[in-house]
PDB file of all heavy atoms in Angstrom:
ATOM      1  N   GLY A 196     -21.467 -14.634  22.056  1.00 98.00           N
ATOM      2  CA  GLY A 196     -22.199 -13.741  22.944  1.00 98.00           C
ATOM      3  C   GLY A 196     -23.647 -13.566  22.509  1.00 98.00           C
ATOM      4  O   GLY A 196     -24.574 -13.543  23.336  1.00 98.00           O
ATOM      5  N   LYS A 197     -23.865 -13.421  21.220  1.00 98.00           N
ATOM      6  CA  LYS A 197     -25.215 -13.260  20.691  1.00 98.00           C
ATOM      7  C   LYS A 197     -26.084 -14.468  20.988  1.00 98.00           C
ATOM      8  O   LYS A 197     -27.288 -14.334  21.285  1.00 98.00           O
ATOM      9  CB  LYS A 197     -25.139 -13.016  19.180  1.00 98.00           C
ATOM     10  CG  LYS A 197     -26.512 -12.798  18.528  1.00 98.00           C
ATOM     11  CD  LYS A 197     -26.358 -12.536  17.033  1.00 98.00           C
ATOM     12  CE  LYS A 197     -27.713 -12.305  16.377  1.00 98.00           C
ATOM     13  NZ  LYS A 197     -27.571 -12.062  14.911  1.00 98.00           N
ATOM     14  N   HIS A 198     -25.506 -15.661  20.924  1.00 98.00           N
ATOM     15  CA  HIS A 198     -26.257 -16.881  21.214  1.00 98.00           C
ATOM     16  C   HIS A 198     -26.832 -16.850  22.631  1.00 98.00           C
ATOM     17  O   HIS A 198     -27.937 -17.355  22.870  1.00 98.00           O
ATOM     18  CB  HIS A 198     -25.328 -18.105  21.048  1.00 98.00           C
ATOM     19  CG  HIS A 198     -26.021 -19.402  21.372  1.00 98.00           C
ATOM     20  ND1 HIS A 198     -26.843 -20.048  20.473  1.00 98.00           N
ATOM     21  CD2 HIS A 198     -26.008 -20.167  22.522  1.00 98.00           C
ATOM     22  CE1 HIS A 198     -27.315 -21.152  21.038  1.00 98.00           C
ATOM     23  NE2 HIS A 198     -26.811 -21.245  22.273  1.00 98.00           N
ATOM     24  N   TYR A 199     -26.091 -16.229  23.555  1.00 98.00           N
ATOM     25  CA  TYR A 199     -26.560 -16.134  24.928  1.00 98.00           C
ATOM     26  C   TYR A 199     -27.295 -14.827  25.226  1.00 98.00           C
ATOM     27  O   TYR A 199     -27.596 -14.519  26.372  1.00 98.00           O
ATOM     28  CB  TYR A 199     -25.374 -16.292  25.893  1.00 98.00           C
ATOM     29  CG  TYR A 199     -24.945 -17.726  26.049  1.00 98.00           C
ATOM     30  CD1 TYR A 199     -23.913 -18.252  25.262  1.00 98.00           C
ATOM     31  CD2 TYR A 199     -25.566 -18.577  26.955  1.00 98.00           C
ATOM     32  CE1 TYR A 199     -23.520 -19.569  25.382  1.00 98.00           C
ATOM     33  CE2 TYR A 199     -25.179 -19.892  27.087  1.00 98.00           C
ATOM     34  CZ  TYR A 199     -24.154 -20.392  26.294  1.00 98.00           C
ATOM     35  OH  TYR A 199     -23.778 -21.704  26.427  1.00 98.00           O
ATOM     36  N   GLY A 200     -27.562 -14.055  24.189  1.00 98.00           N
ATOM     37  CA  GLY A 200     -28.342 -12.840  24.358  1.00 98.00           C
ATOM     38  C   GLY A 200     -27.567 -11.654  24.895  1.00 98.00           C
ATOM     39  O   GLY A 200     -28.164 -10.675  25.353  1.00 98.00           O
ATOM     40  N   LEU A 201     -26.235 -11.702  24.829  1.00 98.00           N
ATOM     41  CA  LEU A 201     -25.443 -10.576  25.322  1.00 98.00           C
ATOM     42  C   LEU A 201     -25.441  -9.448  24.284  1.00 98.00           C
ATOM     43  O   LEU A 201     -25.257  -9.709  23.095  1.00 98.00           O
ATOM     44  CB  LEU A 201     -24.006 -11.012  25.613  1.00 98.00           C
ATOM     45  CG  LEU A 201     -23.820 -12.205  26.565  1.00 98.00           C
ATOM     46  CD1 LEU A 201     -22.333 -12.409  26.826  1.00 98.00           C
ATOM     47  CD2 LEU A 201     -24.574 -12.004  27.866  1.00 98.00           C
ATOM     48  N   PRO A 202     -25.632  -8.212  24.735  1.00 98.00           N
ATOM     49  CA  PRO A 202     -25.643  -7.092  23.767  1.00 98.00           C
ATOM     50  C   PRO A 202     -24.247  -6.892  23.165  1.00 98.00           C
ATOM     51  O   PRO A 202     -23.253  -6.809  23.884  1.00 98.00           O
ATOM     52  CB  PRO A 202     -26.046  -5.884  24.619  1.00 98.00           C
ATOM     53  CG  PRO A 202     -25.767  -6.285  26.037  1.00 98.00           C
ATOM     54  CD  PRO A 202     -25.904  -7.768  26.108  1.00 98.00           C
ATOM     55  N   GLU A 203     -24.208  -6.819  21.822  1.00 98.00           N
ATOM     56  CA  GLU A 203     -22.918  -6.722  21.122  1.00 98.00           C
ATOM     57  C   GLU A 203     -22.110  -5.507  21.568  1.00 98.00           C
ATOM     58  O   GLU A 203     -20.901  -5.592  21.779  1.00 98.00           O
ATOM     59  CB  GLU A 203     -23.162  -6.669  19.616  1.00 98.00           C
ATOM     60  CG  GLU A 203     -21.865  -6.554  18.804  1.00 98.00           C
ATOM     61  CD  GLU A 203     -22.102  -6.640  17.319  1.00 98.00           C
ATOM     62  OE1 GLU A 203     -22.453  -7.735  16.850  1.00 98.00           O
ATOM     63  OE2 GLU A 203     -21.933  -5.614  16.621  1.00 98.00           O
ATOM     64  N   GLU A 204     -22.787  -4.371  21.723  1.00 98.00           N
ATOM     65  CA  GLU A 204     -22.079  -3.146  22.070  1.00 98.00           C
ATOM     66  C   GLU A 204     -21.402  -3.261  23.437  1.00 98.00           C
ATOM     67  O   GLU A 204     -20.282  -2.772  23.637  1.00 98.00           O
ATOM     68  CB  GLU A 204     -23.053  -1.960  22.079  1.00 98.00           C
ATOM     69  CG  GLU A 204     -22.375  -0.599  22.151  1.00 98.00           C
ATOM     70  CD  GLU A 204     -21.449  -0.335  20.967  1.00 98.00           C
ATOM     71  OE1 GLU A 204     -21.742  -0.791  19.848  1.00 98.00           O
ATOM     72  OE2 GLU A 204     -20.422   0.342  21.184  1.00 98.00           O
ATOM     73  N   GLU A 205     -22.058  -3.956  24.358  1.00 98.00           N
ATOM     74  CA  GLU A 205     -21.473  -4.108  25.692  1.00 98.00           C
ATOM     75  C   GLU A 205     -20.298  -5.079  25.672  1.00 98.00           C
ATOM     76  O   GLU A 205     -19.330  -4.910  26.428  1.00 98.00           O
ATOM     77  CB  GLU A 205     -22.544  -4.574  26.679  1.00 98.00           C
ATOM     78  CG  GLU A 205     -22.214  -4.305  28.140  1.00 98.00           C
ATOM     79  CD  GLU A 205     -22.164  -2.817  28.522  1.00 98.00           C
ATOM     80  OE1 GLU A 205     -22.339  -1.938  27.635  1.00 98.00           O
ATOM     81  OE2 GLU A 205     -21.922  -2.528  29.686  1.00 98.00           O
ATOM     82  N   ILE A 206     -20.347  -6.092  24.817  1.00 98.00           N
ATOM     83  CA  ILE A 206     -19.199  -6.977  24.638  1.00 98.00           C
ATOM     84  C   ILE A 206     -18.012  -6.186  24.090  1.00 98.00           C
ATOM     85  O   ILE A 206     -16.879  -6.311  24.552  1.00 98.00           O
ATOM     86  CB  ILE A 206     -19.533  -8.145  23.678  1.00 98.00           C
ATOM     87  CG1 ILE A 206     -20.539  -9.108  24.320  1.00 98.00           C
ATOM     88  CG2 ILE A 206     -18.261  -8.902  23.287  1.00 98.00           C
ATOM     89  CD1 ILE A 206     -19.971  -9.940  25.425  1.00 98.00           C
ATOM     90  N   LEU A 207     -18.283  -5.365  23.075  1.00 98.00           N
ATOM     91  CA  LEU A 207     -17.214  -4.550  22.482  1.00 98.00           C
ATOM     92  C   LEU A 207     -16.632  -3.570  23.500  1.00 98.00           C
ATOM     93  O   LEU A 207     -15.412  -3.352  23.547  1.00 98.00           O
ATOM     94  CB  LEU A 207     -17.735  -3.774  21.260  1.00 98.00           C
ATOM     95  CG  LEU A 207     -18.073  -4.653  20.031  1.00 98.00           C
ATOM     96  CD1 LEU A 207     -18.837  -3.844  19.007  1.00 98.00           C
ATOM     97  CD2 LEU A 207     -16.796  -5.236  19.407  1.00 98.00           C
TER      98      LEU A 207
END
Side-chain angles (χ1 to χ4, degrees):
K197 181 179 180 180
H198 178 80
Y199 282 95
L201 306 185
E203 180 174 291
E204 192 61 33
E205 200 67 357
I206 291 288
L207 290 169

